[in-house]
Amino acid sequence: MGMRIGFGFDSHAFKAGVPLVIGGLKIEHSEGLAGHSDGDVLLHAITDALLGAVSAGDIGTFFPPSDPRWKGAASDIFLRTALEEIATAGYRIVNIDTVLVMMRPKIVPIAGEMRESVATLLGVKASDVGIKAKTPEGLNQDGVAVAYATVLLESIAEEDGLARMTATAEDDMDAVVESLVGNGRDTSALGRKLTPFNTDDLT
């Protein structure tokens, strides 16, 4: 069974007047994170880790900051695209580990809730998601939030691969992808269809 590892990094400066969203979780704080989208530094790092693991580029490849369509967009859109890419490549998540580096707000009191949020978005168990928090001591980064993410993927089991190969209708293919990534989503735009065949011909 093949394995792939991906690594992601992102950083955003704090900015007054915008909501703070990290890991898909809205957090009460006096400042949010500046960015073209909602500035979710953790989901951005995870998205890049997933895309990198299957050599699919990065967030900017799919969602360039110059495109006004993504102004203020929720970062789970980016994450769903990365999940579709790894499923199409024939992989699924084993586990993911992350580190948040910021002076404030304190992440430890809400780390459990944040793990649940990220796990739900990824379609995995909370026990498969690690979230750690550090302060940027001596780095002069008090006004910045930084996130690192590492993901381990495994190739889809042989029996799952056969199930995907025997899907002859678009609805069947969508159902297979849904089972792999844990959430229903429209995959018709991917344009990747498999040639049907008769399993009775297998020897």
Side-chain angles (χ1 to χ4, degrees):
M1 180 173 288
M3 312 293 283
R4 301 291 291 261
I5 295 174
F7 174 74
F9 162 86
D10 196 37
S11 64
H12 288 284
F14 281 94
K15 179 182 178 180
V18 296
L20 179 61
V21 182
I22 301 177
L25 190 66
K26 293 184 178 179
I27 302 170
E28 289 294 330
H29 191 59
S30 58
E31 296 177 309
L33 294 174
H36 186 65
S37 62
D38 62 3
D40 192 327
V41 67
L42 183 58
L43 292 192
H44 293 179
I46 293 172
T47 298
D48 268 352
L50 292 168
L51 292 173
V54 293
S55 302
D58 59 14
I59 291 178
T61 304
F62 293 87
F63 307 98
S66 58
D67 192 333
R69 288 180 299 171
W70 314 121
K71 179 65 175 177
S75 294
D76 62 341
I77 296 173
F78 310 153
L79 196 63
R80 288 199 299 270
T81 296
L83 290 171
E84 289 167 354
E85 288 297 313
I86 67 168
T88 302
Y91 289 86
R92 59 187 167 202
I93 297 170
V94 176
N95 73 296
I96 189 161
D97 192 25
T98 67
V99 179
L100 284 165
V101 183
M102 62 182 68
M103 183 59 69
R104 64 186 70 82
K106 297 301 182 184
I107 298 300
V108 172
I110 58 173
E113 188 178 358
M114 192 173 291
R115 286 176 62 206
E116 292 285 352
S117 174
V118 171
T120 298
L121 292 172
L122 293 174
V124 300
K125 298 179 294 184
S127 58
D128 295 329
V129 177
I131 293 179
K132 304 183 294 295
K134 306 292 181 180
T135 57
E137 296 181 20
L139 297 179
N140 195 28
Q141 294 181 349
D142 291 5
V144 178
V146 176
Y148 301 89
T150 303
V151 63
L152 177 64
L153 306 181
E154 66 179 359
S155 60
I156 298 164
E158 188 172 314
E159 58 269 23
D160 290 336
L162 181 60
R164 294 202 312 150
M165 292 173 66
T166 56
T168 58
E170 185 173 344
D171 288 345
D172 292 336
M173 177 58 84
D174 287 350
V176 172
V177 175
E178 177 183 352
S179 71
L180 297 176
V181 300
N183 292 298
R185 48 182 64 92
D186 183 10
T187 59
S188 59
L190 291 176
R192 302 178 176 95
K193 296 182 180 179
L194 299 176
T195 302
F197 66 97
N198 189 345
T199 55
D200 292 335
D201 293 336
L202 293 177
T203 57

PDB file of all heavy atoms in Angstrom, residues 18 22 65-66 85 89 93 109 118 125 132 138 147 154 160-161 165 167 187 190 192:
ATOM      1  N   VAL A  18     -12.040  42.543  11.578  1.00  0.00           N
ATOM      2  CA  VAL A  18     -12.440  41.333  10.854  1.00  0.00           C
ATOM      3  C   VAL A  18     -12.574  40.193  11.858  1.00  0.00           C
ATOM      4  O   VAL A  18     -11.887  40.170  12.887  1.00  0.00           O
ATOM      5  CB  VAL A  18     -11.417  40.954   9.754  1.00  0.00           C
ATOM      6  CG1 VAL A  18     -11.341  42.028   8.691  1.00  0.00           C
ATOM      7  CG2 VAL A  18     -10.039  40.687  10.343  1.00  0.00           C
ATOM      8  N   ILE A  22     -10.194  30.212  12.824  1.00  0.00           N
ATOM      9  CA  ILE A  22      -9.051  29.302  12.754  1.00  0.00           C
ATOM     10  C   ILE A  22      -9.573  27.870  12.833  1.00  0.00           C
ATOM     11  O   ILE A  22     -10.330  27.526  13.739  1.00  0.00           O
ATOM     12  CB  ILE A  22      -8.042  29.548  13.897  1.00  0.00           C
ATOM     13  CG1 ILE A  22      -7.511  30.986  13.848  1.00  0.00           C
ATOM     14  CG2 ILE A  22      -6.879  28.564  13.802  1.00  0.00           C
ATOM     15  CD1 ILE A  22      -6.557  31.335  14.987  1.00  0.00           C
ATOM     16  N   PRO A  65      -5.080  34.797  -5.387  1.00  0.00           N
ATOM     17  CA  PRO A  65      -5.577  35.964  -4.650  1.00  0.00           C
ATOM     18  C   PRO A  65      -5.988  37.116  -5.563  1.00  0.00           C
ATOM     19  O   PRO A  65      -6.699  38.028  -5.125  1.00  0.00           O
ATOM     20  CB  PRO A  65      -4.389  36.356  -3.759  1.00  0.00           C
ATOM     21  CG  PRO A  65      -3.200  35.720  -4.394  1.00  0.00           C
ATOM     22  CD  PRO A  65      -3.688  34.474  -5.044  1.00  0.00           C
ATOM     23  N   SER A  66      -5.566  37.074  -6.817  1.00  0.00           N
ATOM     24  CA  SER A  66      -5.956  38.114  -7.765  1.00  0.00           C
ATOM     25  C   SER A  66      -7.392  37.945  -8.259  1.00  0.00           C
ATOM     26  O   SER A  66      -7.951  38.850  -8.878  1.00  0.00           O
ATOM     27  CB  SER A  66      -5.008  38.107  -8.975  1.00  0.00           C
ATOM     28  OG  SER A  66      -5.021  36.825  -9.604  1.00  0.00           O
ATOM     29  N   GLU A  85      -8.992  16.372  -4.766  1.00  0.00           N
ATOM     30  CA  GLU A  85      -7.757  16.056  -5.480  1.00  0.00           C
ATOM     31  C   GLU A  85      -7.103  14.782  -4.950  1.00  0.00           C
ATOM     32  O   GLU A  85      -6.642  13.945  -5.725  1.00  0.00           O
ATOM     33  CB  GLU A  85      -6.773  17.228  -5.384  1.00  0.00           C
ATOM     34  CG  GLU A  85      -7.166  18.433  -6.219  1.00  0.00           C
ATOM     35  CD  GLU A  85      -7.191  18.129  -7.704  1.00  0.00           C
ATOM     36  OE1 GLU A  85      -6.225  17.510  -8.207  1.00  0.00           O
ATOM     37  OE2 GLU A  85      -8.181  18.492  -8.364  1.00  0.00           O
ATOM     38  N   ALA A  89      -6.725  11.205  -6.918  1.00  0.00           N
ATOM     39  CA  ALA A  89      -5.395  10.613  -7.072  1.00  0.00           C
ATOM     40  C   ALA A  89      -5.314   9.212  -6.472  1.00  0.00           C
ATOM     41  O   ALA A  89      -4.315   8.512  -6.660  1.00  0.00           O
ATOM     42  CB  ALA A  89      -4.336  11.514  -6.429  1.00  0.00           C
ATOM     43  N   ILE A  93      -6.808  10.166   3.811  1.00  0.00           N
ATOM     44  CA  ILE A  93      -6.045  10.644   4.965  1.00  0.00           C
ATOM     45  C   ILE A  93      -5.890   9.537   6.010  1.00  0.00           C
ATOM     46  O   ILE A  93      -6.857   8.874   6.371  1.00  0.00           O
ATOM     47  CB  ILE A  93      -6.735  11.862   5.598  1.00  0.00           C
ATOM     48  CG1 ILE A  93      -6.776  13.031   4.612  1.00  0.00           C
ATOM     49  CG2 ILE A  93      -6.029  12.287   6.883  1.00  0.00           C
ATOM     50  CD1 ILE A  93      -7.643  14.188   5.082  1.00  0.00           C
ATOM     51  N   PRO A 109      -7.150  26.161  25.455  1.00  0.00           N
ATOM     52  CA  PRO A 109      -8.502  25.959  25.996  1.00  0.00           C
ATOM     53  C   PRO A 109      -9.533  25.539  24.950  1.00  0.00           C
ATOM     54  O   PRO A 109     -10.570  24.968  25.297  1.00  0.00           O
ATOM     55  CB  PRO A 109      -8.849  27.334  26.585  1.00  0.00           C
ATOM     56  CG  PRO A 109      -7.534  27.980  26.850  1.00  0.00           C
ATOM     57  CD  PRO A 109      -6.645  27.516  25.743  1.00  0.00           C
ATOM     58  N   VAL A 118     -11.942  20.628  12.635  1.00  0.00           N
ATOM     59  CA  VAL A 118     -11.080  20.221  11.526  1.00  0.00           C
ATOM     60  C   VAL A 118     -11.394  18.787  11.102  1.00  0.00           C
ATOM     61  O   VAL A 118     -11.473  18.487   9.905  1.00  0.00           O
ATOM     62  CB  VAL A 118      -9.593  20.352  11.919  1.00  0.00           C
ATOM     63  CG1 VAL A 118      -8.689  19.727  10.862  1.00  0.00           C
ATOM     64  CG2 VAL A 118      -9.231  21.820  12.116  1.00  0.00           C
ATOM     65  N   LYS A 125     -11.730  11.005  11.986  1.00  0.00           N
ATOM     66  CA  LYS A 125     -11.973  11.031  13.419  1.00  0.00           C
ATOM     67  C   LYS A 125     -11.121  12.119  14.072  1.00  0.00           C
ATOM     68  O   LYS A 125     -10.017  12.422  13.611  1.00  0.00           O
ATOM     69  CB  LYS A 125     -11.647   9.676  14.042  1.00  0.00           C
ATOM     70  CG  LYS A 125     -12.499   8.525  13.537  1.00  0.00           C
ATOM     71  CD  LYS A 125     -12.090   7.218  14.185  1.00  0.00           C
ATOM     72  CE  LYS A 125     -10.690   6.820  13.761  1.00  0.00           C
ATOM     73  NZ  LYS A 125     -10.305   5.481  14.302  1.00  0.00           N
ATOM     74  N   LYS A 132      -1.469  21.500  18.023  1.00  0.00           N
ATOM     75  CA  LYS A 132      -0.605  21.970  19.103  1.00  0.00           C
ATOM     76  C   LYS A 132      -0.444  23.477  18.962  1.00  0.00           C
ATOM     77  O   LYS A 132      -0.533  24.017  17.867  1.00  0.00           O
ATOM     78  CB  LYS A 132       0.762  21.274  19.040  1.00  0.00           C
ATOM     79  CG  LYS A 132       0.663  19.748  19.085  1.00  0.00           C
ATOM     80  CD  LYS A 132       2.020  19.090  19.085  1.00  0.00           C
ATOM     81  CE  LYS A 132       2.772  19.305  17.787  1.00  0.00           C
ATOM     82  NZ  LYS A 132       2.082  18.646  16.638  1.00  0.00           N
ATOM     83  N   GLY A 138      10.775  35.153  21.394  1.00  0.00           N
ATOM     84  CA  GLY A 138      12.008  35.640  20.808  1.00  0.00           C
ATOM     85  C   GLY A 138      11.984  35.814  19.312  1.00  0.00           C
ATOM     86  O   GLY A 138      13.020  36.116  18.701  1.00  0.00           O
ATOM     87  N   ALA A 147       0.934  28.828  10.917  1.00  0.00           N
ATOM     88  CA  ALA A 147       0.468  27.441  11.030  1.00  0.00           C
ATOM     89  C   ALA A 147       1.336  26.521  10.185  1.00  0.00           C
ATOM     90  O   ALA A 147       1.720  26.867   9.056  1.00  0.00           O
ATOM     91  CB  ALA A 147      -0.986  27.327  10.591  1.00  0.00           C
ATOM     92  N   GLU A 154      -2.647   7.379   2.617  1.00  0.00           N
ATOM     93  CA  GLU A 154      -2.438   6.014   2.165  1.00  0.00           C
ATOM     94  C   GLU A 154      -3.238   5.799   0.891  1.00  0.00           C
ATOM     95  O   GLU A 154      -4.297   6.403   0.698  1.00  0.00           O
ATOM     96  CB  GLU A 154      -2.858   5.003   3.231  1.00  0.00           C
ATOM     97  CG  GLU A 154      -4.341   4.996   3.536  1.00  0.00           C
ATOM     98  CD  GLU A 154      -4.732   3.958   4.578  1.00  0.00           C
ATOM     99  OE1 GLU A 154      -3.837   3.233   5.039  1.00  0.00           O
ATOM    100  OE2 GLU A 154      -5.930   3.890   4.920  1.00  0.00           O
ATOM    101  N   ASP A 160     -11.339  -1.148  -2.632  1.00  0.00           N
ATOM    102  CA  ASP A 160     -11.940   0.153  -2.900  1.00  0.00           C
ATOM    103  C   ASP A 160     -11.667   0.580  -4.331  1.00  0.00           C
ATOM    104  O   ASP A 160     -12.492   1.198  -4.984  1.00  0.00           O
ATOM    105  CB  ASP A 160     -11.390   1.198  -1.927  1.00  0.00           C
ATOM    106  CG  ASP A 160     -11.882   0.971  -0.503  1.00  0.00           C
ATOM    107  OD1 ASP A 160     -12.943   0.345  -0.355  1.00  0.00           O
ATOM    108  OD2 ASP A 160     -11.198   1.413   0.434  1.00  0.00           O
ATOM    109  N   GLY A 161     -10.458   0.258  -4.805  1.00  0.00           N
ATOM    110  CA  GLY A 161     -10.126   0.589  -6.179  1.00  0.00           C
ATOM    111  C   GLY A 161     -11.029  -0.128  -7.159  1.00  0.00           C
ATOM    112  O   GLY A 161     -11.468   0.439  -8.157  1.00  0.00           O
ATOM    113  N   MET A 165     -13.596   1.339 -10.005  1.00  0.00           N
ATOM    114  CA  MET A 165     -13.507   0.965 -11.412  1.00  0.00           C
ATOM    115  C   MET A 165     -14.840   0.487 -11.957  1.00  0.00           C
ATOM    116  O   MET A 165     -15.129   0.638 -13.143  1.00  0.00           O
ATOM    117  CB  MET A 165     -12.440  -0.114 -11.597  1.00  0.00           C
ATOM    118  CG  MET A 165     -11.022   0.371 -11.347  1.00  0.00           C
ATOM    119  SD  MET A 165      -9.826  -0.972 -11.389  1.00  0.00           S
ATOM    120  CE  MET A 165      -9.940  -1.440 -13.119  1.00  0.00           C
ATOM    121  N   ALA A 167     -17.777   1.563 -11.070  1.00  0.00           N
ATOM    122  CA  ALA A 167     -18.802   2.612 -11.055  1.00  0.00           C
ATOM    123  C   ALA A 167     -19.017   3.083 -12.482  1.00  0.00           C
ATOM    124  O   ALA A 167     -18.136   3.664 -13.087  1.00  0.00           O
ATOM    125  CB  ALA A 167     -18.356   3.780 -10.169  1.00  0.00           C
ATOM    126  N   THR A 187     -18.785  16.509  -7.743  1.00  0.00           N
ATOM    127  CA  THR A 187     -17.509  16.228  -8.401  1.00  0.00           C
ATOM    128  C   THR A 187     -17.644  16.244  -9.914  1.00  0.00           C
ATOM    129  O   THR A 187     -16.717  15.860 -10.625  1.00  0.00           O
ATOM    130  CB  THR A 187     -16.968  14.858  -7.968  1.00  0.00           C
ATOM    131  OG1 THR A 187     -17.925  13.851  -8.319  1.00  0.00           O
ATOM    132  CG2 THR A 187     -16.707  14.802  -6.483  1.00  0.00           C
ATOM    133  N   LEU A 190     -14.936  17.819 -12.102  1.00  0.00           N
ATOM    134  CA  LEU A 190     -13.599  17.249 -12.176  1.00  0.00           C
ATOM    135  C   LEU A 190     -13.296  16.681 -13.552  1.00  0.00           C
ATOM    136  O   LEU A 190     -12.146  16.646 -13.977  1.00  0.00           O
ATOM    137  CB  LEU A 190     -13.430  16.147 -11.120  1.00  0.00           C
ATOM    138  CG  LEU A 190     -13.414  16.627  -9.668  1.00  0.00           C
ATOM    139  CD1 LEU A 190     -13.351  15.425  -8.741  1.00  0.00           C
ATOM    140  CD2 LEU A 190     -12.246  17.546  -9.413  1.00  0.00           C
ATOM    141  N   ARG A 192     -13.297  13.687 -14.628  1.00  0.00           N
ATOM    142  CA  ARG A 192     -12.537  12.441 -14.640  1.00  0.00           C
ATOM    143  C   ARG A 192     -13.523  11.279 -14.574  1.00  0.00           C
ATOM    144  O   ARG A 192     -14.147  11.068 -13.551  1.00  0.00           O
ATOM    145  CB  ARG A 192     -11.562  12.384 -13.462  1.00  0.00           C
ATOM    146  CG  ARG A 192     -10.567  13.544 -13.440  1.00  0.00           C
ATOM    147  CD  ARG A 192      -9.679  13.416 -12.216  1.00  0.00           C
ATOM    148  NE  ARG A 192      -8.668  14.441 -12.191  1.00  0.00           N
ATOM    149  CZ  ARG A 192      -8.790  15.586 -11.543  1.00  0.00           C
ATOM    150  NH1 ARG A 192      -9.901  15.851 -10.877  1.00  0.00           N
ATOM    151  NH2 ARG A 192      -7.815  16.475 -11.548  1.00  0.00           N
TER     152      ARG A 192
END
